[in-house]
């Protein structure tokens, strides 16, 4: 009975992985298709990559997406981390109330948030474009960072910063050299979630943009109305970029750990 359950679990896991990753593999394969068909592979070619790089609108949308996602990630990570640290020192009633408000944008449907932000910009006569999209992305990314950092702060000794200052550290040193390194895994995971949410967002971006400013999701949406295999090419490029980032994030700590162990062996 146990063996059957294990086999069933493994089969289910394989099916789930196939369900998630086979469409991506299919997309990558057909990005090298010489014809326009999205179902019949007619031969290997880099035609669609050529057209993608020669397409000014597509390259501008990719550039806009990367810039907005990068800035939104940095700003929301800073705001979210500082807010989480500040909340950890607040009264329990205030902390609970603010965390409930923080969870609201996460639970709220994106379409409601999008319309709310759009109405906000219209009310204050703010011209919609790059800056409104950036502000919107920072606004919806920050709650995810707070949600990611708070559990790490809660797991720490609440007297850790005070102990560091008693030993001669300044408040800034206690923050940067004692507190932040302890919660770094939460900060990194929050930053990754923020980057992913910003890079992937369509609904909010669609409602708050203007002046011809498009991110990648809006560009793909407009292209999907007609058969255009360049979608496969640009999507494959995004997958490659994200894979490189993930590999770097996972490999760098391992390299550092090995270097530290070697240094300890040499000095020891």
């Amino acid at each position: 009975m146990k063996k059957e359950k294990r086999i069933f679990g493994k089969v289910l896991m394989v099916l789930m992985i196939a369900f998630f990753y086979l469409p991506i593999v299919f997309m990558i394969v057909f990005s090298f298709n010489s014809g326009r068909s999205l179902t019949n592979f007619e031969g290997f070619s880099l035609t669609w990559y050529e057209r993608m790089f020669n397409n000014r609108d597509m390259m501008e949308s990719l550039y806009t997406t990367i810039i907005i996602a990068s800035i939104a990630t940095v700003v929301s990570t800073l705001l979210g981390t500082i807010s989480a640290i500040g909340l950890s020192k607040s009264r329990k009633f205030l902390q609970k109330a603010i965390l409930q408000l923080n969870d609201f944008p996460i639970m709220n449907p994106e379409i409601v948030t999008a319309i709310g932000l759009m109405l906000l910009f219209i009310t204050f006569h703010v011209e919609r474009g790059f800056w409104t999209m950036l502000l919107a992305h920072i606004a919806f990314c920050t709650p995810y960072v707070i949600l990611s950092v708070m559990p790490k702060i809660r797991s720490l000794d609440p007297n850790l910063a005070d102990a560091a200052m008693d030993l001669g550290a300044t408040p800034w040193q206690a923050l940067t050299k004692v507190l932040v390194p302890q919660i770094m895994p939460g900060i990194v995971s929050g930053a990754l979630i923020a980057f992913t949410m910003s890079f992937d967002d369509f609904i909010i971006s669609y409602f708050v943009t203007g002046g011809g400013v498009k991110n990648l999701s809006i560009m793909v949406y407009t292209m999907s109305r007609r058969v255009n295999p360049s979608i496969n090419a640009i999507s494959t490029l995004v997958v490659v970029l994200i894979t490189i980032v993930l590999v770097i994030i996972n490999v760098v700590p391992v390299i550092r750990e090995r270097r530290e162990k070697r240094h300890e062996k040499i000095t020891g």
Side-chain angles (χ1 to χ4, degrees):
M1 195 71 179
K2 286 183 179 179
K3 286 183 178 179
E4 287 178 1
K5 284 183 178 179
R6 285 177 185 175
I7 292 166
F8 177 75
K10 287 178 180 178
V11 170
L12 188 64
M13 185 180 69
V14 170
L15 288 172
M16 284 178 67
I17 291 169
F19 179 77
F20 284 116
Y21 288 100
L22 276 179
I24 297 172
V25 174
F26 182 87
M27 175 195 70
I28 292 169
V29 170
F30 275 85
S31 70
F32 297 102
N33 191 12
S34 59
R36 294 187 65 87
S37 176
L38 299 175
T39 54
N40 297 320
F41 193 80
E42 298 172 20
F44 182 86
S45 175
L46 296 173
T47 304
W48 303 114
Y49 286 92
E50 242 178 78
R51 293 194 183 184
M52 177 191 71
F53 286 115
N54 291 330
N55 189 319
R56 188 180 172 185
D57 288 341
M58 205 177 287
M59 287 295 98
E60 279 183 3
S61 68
L62 181 61
Y63 175 77
T64 301
T65 302
I66 292 169
I67 292 296
I68 286 179
S70 301
I71 297 172
T73 300
V74 171
V75 175
S76 63
T77 301
L78 286 171
L79 289 175
T81 303
I82 292 166
S83 301
I85 292 169
L87 282 172
S88 68
K89 302 296 180 184
S90 303
R91 293 179 181 179
K92 285 186 178 179
F93 173 76
L94 182 64
Q95 190 182 122
K96 284 182 180 179
I98 292 174
L99 286 175
Q100 287 293 327
L101 288 172
N102 183 70
D103 292 342
F104 189 74
I106 297 170
M107 301 297 293
N108 204 32
E110 275 196 34
I111 186 70
V112 176
T113 305
I115 293 169
L117 287 167
M118 181 187 70
L119 291 174
L120 177 70
F121 294 134
I122 290 170
T123 303
F124 288 98
H125 304 287
V126 180
E127 188 179 348
R128 284 179 290 163
F130 179 87
W131 293 107
T132 53
M133 190 188 289
L134 178 59
L135 288 171
H137 280 230
I138 291 168
F140 73 73
C141 285
T142 302
Y144 288 96
V145 178
I146 295 172
L147 193 68
S148 180
V149 175
M150 277 304 293
K152 285 291 176 183
I153 293 174
R154 283 173 179 164
S155 67
L156 296 178
D157 187 337
N159 300 313
L160 192 64
D162 293 332
M165 286 188 283
D166 287 341
L167 293 169
T170 62
W172 178 252
Q173 287 174 331
L175 176 66
T176 56
K177 293 186 178 181
V178 178
L179 198 59
V180 170
Q182 294 292 323
I183 61 172
M184 188 55 73
I187 294 171
V188 171
S189 62
L192 288 173
I193 292 168
F195 184 83
T196 305
M197 294 296 295
S198 177
F199 202 98
D200 181 57
D201 182 74
F202 166 72
I203 297 172
I204 294 173
S205 300
Y206 188 78
F207 277 84
V208 300
T209 192
V213 177
K214 296 178 183 178
N215 64 0
L216 194 60
S217 58
I218 296 171
M219 175 59 68
V220 169
Y221 172 73
T222 56
M223 289 171 66
S224 63
R225 295 175 184 179
R226 58 189 185 278
V227 178
N228 193 336
S230 293
I231 295 174
N232 292 336
I234 199 162
S235 300
T236 301
L237 183 63
V238 170
V239 169
V240 170
L241 288 171
I242 291 170
T243 304
I244 290 167
V245 171
L246 286 173
V247 168
I248 290 167
I249 288 167
N250 286 287
V251 168
V252 168
V254 174
I255 293 169
R256 280 182 184 172
E257 223 177 292
R258 286 181 180 177
R259 283 181 180 176
E260 284 174 7
K261 285 180 180 177
R262 284 177 187 174
H263 183 70
E264 284 175 9
K265 284 180 181 178
I266 292 165
T267 54

